[in-house]
Amino acid sequence: MVVVHTSIFPKRRMRRARSRNIQPLLREISLTKNDLIAPLFVDEMITAQKPIDAMPGQFRYPINGIAGVAADLWKKGIRAVLLFGIPKVKDPEATSAYDPEGVVQQAVRRVKAEVPGMVVITDVCACEYTDHGHCGIVGKTRNGMDLLNDVSLLLMDKIAISHAKAGADIVAPSCMLDGMVASLRTALDDAGFDEVLIMSYSTKFSSALYGPFREAAGSGYSFGDRSTYQITPGNSREAILESQMDADEGADILMVKPAGLYLDVLSEVATIGLPVAAYQVSGEYSMIKAAAQNGWLKEKETILESLTCIKRAGADLIITYFAGEVAGWLDEA
Ligand code: PBG
Ligand code: ZN
């Protein structure tokens, strides 16, 4: 009789993976509704919701409809929204961005009145409010017309304070100005809003994936590009340093944007120690939707995989246009 000694077999075979019952117990991470933040677009000029063509399933909402949308998300278990405004009036100084009766300010008040527990985050930037479409005040620089850093800081302070006055829990400055977090922290504290958190778009790449957002938020620019204030996709050391600097300036939450193509950067930024949000941007949403609509990808599987991998890479929070949809699936699971 031939005796086969068992040691010729590998001792650590992955038996566990073969048991469907055991798999859930051994799962390293799971997506939860508390991880998700839903971005919402509020349009001052419309009276009924308007589909965003480049983002199937997403809408611009009228001011008087936004509280209802937030209430629906709340019922599904979503606990945070990120508001973007599309104003009636645009001018070079973005004055409607800090108007107490501006579109975001009204929307914040309505959401807080209807769903007090909802964490309301506001995008603090000027690109939806300037007629030239840049993220702050522009002027002549030695390289031609471009964003003026320090003048724009004062504008961001005004915008953030007006959002805080309206009831925002967290302000999210998204224009990557130098010194912005320190400037905002001081301005908010001095205005009596020391409890308002700052979620900085600390590592924001100059990405083609923001394309559909420009239709969604009506924020395309009329000259130049944003490469002078956003990071070039190949630079990871710079990307991490940007988040570190915002942490040093007093940010409460850091952000990496876009998410899926930048997981290496995300996992590094997570080591800084602050909570990190990852923004799965409009282009990431639209790519999945388009492929799913063509029957080329399975929609639900692809969405859940994309979000799971973003969490695995180190995100504590994920800003995603899929938030409402995914919340329903998590109930089924
Ligand atoms: C505004 C802002 C942008 C996005 C979020 N805030 C556009 C940009 O920086 O060009 C993009 C979000 C998305 O694409 O989903 N500064
Ligand atoms: Zn902007």
Side-chain angles (χ1 to χ4, degrees), residues 152-307:
S152 300
L153 286 179
L154 299 174
L155 171 62
M156 298 309 148
D157 290 350
K158 283 196 270 189
I159 299 174
I161 289 170
S162 78
H163 291 177
K165 276 189 184 145
D169 301 288
I170 303 178
V171 292
S174 68
C175 49
M176 294 266 300
L177 295 169
D178 291 340
M180 186 171 57
V181 172
S183 156
L184 279 182
R185 188 68 274 162
T186 308
L188 287 167
D189 289 356
D190 289 353
F193 297 111
D194 53 307
E195 287 177 39
V196 172
L197 303 188
I198 297 176
M199 177 168 89
S200 177
Y201 285 64
S202 50
T203 293
K204 182 173 180 181
F205 289 93
S206 178
S207 173
L209 295 175
Y210 308 148
F213 179 90
R214 311 229 150 118
E215 181 206 333
S219 66
Y221 40 78
S222 52
F223 63 86
D225 59 36
R226 294 190 172 132
S227 65
T228 55
Y229 46 100
Q230 298 180 351
I231 306 163
T232 194
N235 284 12
S236 64
R237 276 175 293 146
E238 180 189 5
I240 292 149
L241 186 59
E242 285 281 3
S243 271
Q244 182 64 61
M245 285 162 70
D246 282 8
D248 295 342
E249 287 181 27
D252 299 284
I253 303 170
L254 301 173
M255 194 198 299
V256 174
K257 173 185 170 209
L261 294 184
Y262 297 92
L263 297 185
D264 56 330
V265 173
L266 174 59
S267 71
E268 284 270 347
V269 168
T271 65
I272 292 174
L274 287 176
V276 183
Y279 197 145
Q280 185 180 52
V281 300
S282 56
E284 300 179 82
Y285 176 88
S286 300
M287 286 194 291
I288 294 176
K289 280 285 173 184
Q293 284 184 343
N294 275 294
W296 297 335
L297 285 175
K298 288 187 183 169
E299 182 166 3
K300 183 174 169 182
E301 283 84 341
T302 308
I303 293 169
L304 288 173
E305 182 175 335
S306 71
L307 296 172

Side-chain angles (χ1 to χ4, degrees), residues 123 125-128 134-135 174-175 204 226:
D123 188 80
C125 200
C127 51
E128 289 113 56
H134 280 283
C135 296
S174 68
C175 49
K204 182 173 180 181
R226 294 190 172 132

Side-chain angles (χ1 to χ4, degrees), residues 5 11 48 52 77 85 149 155 179 201 233 239 272 291 293 312 322:
H5 198 278
K11 287 209 172 66
I52 300 163
N149 193 84
L155 171 62
Y201 285 64
I272 292 174
Q293 284 184 343
R312 188 206 62 226
F322 294 119

Side-chain angles (χ1 to χ4, degrees), residues 12-240:
R12 301 189 66 243
R13 284 183 297 166
M14 300 297 261
R15 291 180 190 86
R16 61 186 195 186
R18 284 196 233 117
S19 167
R20 281 186 208 288
N21 296 335
I22 297 174
Q23 280 167 13
L25 300 177
L26 303 177
R27 194 164 289 153
E28 293 178 32
I29 56 145
S30 300
L31 213 52
T32 74
K33 297 180 199 180
N34 285 321
D35 302 327
L36 306 175
I37 299 171
L40 295 175
F41 299 101
V42 195
D43 186 338
E44 196 173 8
M45 294 163 292
I46 59 177
T47 50
Q49 68 177 49
K50 186 173 167 221
I52 300 163
D53 292 338
M55 301 177 71
Q58 295 299 305
F59 299 86
R60 287 186 186 186
Y61 298 102
I63 292 175
N64 66 13
I66 198 65
V69 175
D72 284 347
L73 286 167
W74 180 264
K75 262 186 238 134
K76 289 184 182 157
I78 297 298
R79 296 290 174 255
V81 293
L82 171 61
L83 299 182
F84 294 94
I86 298 113
K88 218 171 352 204
V89 180
K90 298 185 189 230
D91 61 30
E93 275 84 44
T95 52
S96 59
Y98 53 86
D99 180 349
E101 292 308 317
V103 53
V104 165
Q105 291 80 357
Q106 290 191 55
V108 171
R109 288 197 293 265
R110 283 172 188 245
V111 171
K112 283 310 243 184
E114 176 90 12
V115 200
M118 185 66 94
V119 174
V120 175
I121 310 170
T122 56
D123 188 80
V124 173
C125 200
C127 51
E128 289 113 56
Y129 303 88
T130 51
D131 49 10
H132 45 69
H134 280 283
C135 296
I137 306 291
V138 297
K140 281 208 194 77
T141 71
R142 53 171 71 199
N143 298 311
M145 290 294 276
D146 208 343
L147 197 68
L148 300 176
N149 193 84
D150 294 9
V151 197
S152 300
L153 286 179
L154 299 174
L155 171 62
M156 298 309 148
D157 290 350
K158 283 196 270 189
I159 299 174
I161 289 170
S162 78
H163 291 177
K165 276 189 184 145
D169 301 288
I170 303 178
V171 292
S174 68
C175 49
M176 294 266 300
L177 295 169
D178 291 340
M180 186 171 57
V181 172
S183 156
L184 279 182
R185 188 68 274 162
T186 308
L188 287 167
D189 289 356
D190 289 353
F193 297 111
D194 53 307
E195 287 177 39
V196 172
L197 303 188
I198 297 176
M199 177 168 89
S200 177
Y201 285 64
S202 50
T203 293
K204 182 173 180 181
F205 289 93
S206 178
S207 173
L209 295 175
Y210 308 148
F213 179 90
R214 311 229 150 118
E215 181 206 333
S219 66
Y221 40 78
S222 52
F223 63 86
D225 59 36
R226 294 190 172 132
S227 65
T228 55
Y229 46 100
Q230 298 180 351
I231 306 163
T232 194
N235 284 12
S236 64
R237 276 175 293 146
E238 180 189 5
I240 292 149

